[in-house]
Amino acid sequence: QVQLVESGGGLVQAGGSLRLSCAASGRTFPRYAMGWFRQAPGKERELVCASSWSGSRTFYADSVKGRFTISRDNAKNTVDLQMNNLKPEDTAVYYCAAGYGTLPTVDWRYWGQGTQVTVSS
């Protein structure tokens, strides 16, 4: 079992930046792929970005390429999401997830509780 706790959400103006963090505890963290999902009101949850367990492979949704960066520190059991040049359409609840598999096809098994990101225009 893996427990995931997100932090760092908040309210920011368009063009601003936020950094989300996810702290993992429980079973061996480094062997999991890690990802960030988001869900906006009335929309389905979508994969924003993901990192392989080694960090050597990453995946980004087209909508965030060049603006978002995922990074993980297996020694600290953390995975971060740096979000730059935020847009109002980035407003959503962001979830950290852990799972097995090869990017981008991962069996996402564990989820955090989510953190709200609101971007004002």
Side-chain angles (χ1 to χ4, degrees):
Q1 190 74 9
V2 175
Q3 292 78 44
L4 303 173
V5 179
E6 304 99 335
S7 60
L11 173 65
V12 64
Q13 289 187 332
S17 298
L18 278 177
R19 188 176 184 89
L20 306 183
S21 293
C22 176
S25 61
R27 298 187 63 183
T28 308
F29 173 75
R31 290 294 174 177
Y32 289 101
M34 298 297 297
W36 287 94
F37 287 73
R38 68 185 180 187
Q39 187 167 21
K43 295 187 177 181
E44 293 187 355
R45 188 174 299 189
E46 64 172 346
L47 176 62
V48 176
C49 57
S51 170
S52 64
W53 67 269
S54 68
S56 61
R57 294 188 63 183
T58 56
F59 167 86
Y60 292 93
D62 288 343
S63 58
V64 305
K65 282 181 180 177
R67 301 189 298 120
F68 289 13
T69 303
I70 187 172
S71 60
R72 64 188 293 169
D73 186 335
N74 289 340
K76 296 181 179 179
N77 288 356
T78 59
V79 58
D80 292 348
L81 177 61
Q82 177 66 42
M83 305 184 291
N84 298 327
N85 190 22
L86 283 160
K87 304 176 180 181
E89 52 264 42
D90 294 318
T91 295
V93 177
Y94 283 70
Y95 298 89
C96 176
Y100 296 103
T102 302
L103 296 182
T105 305
V106 175
D107 177 15
W108 299 104
R109 297 190 179 184
Y110 305 104
W111 297 85
Q113 82 287 353
T115 185
Q116 176 70 45
V117 171
T118 303
V119 184
S120 63
S121 58

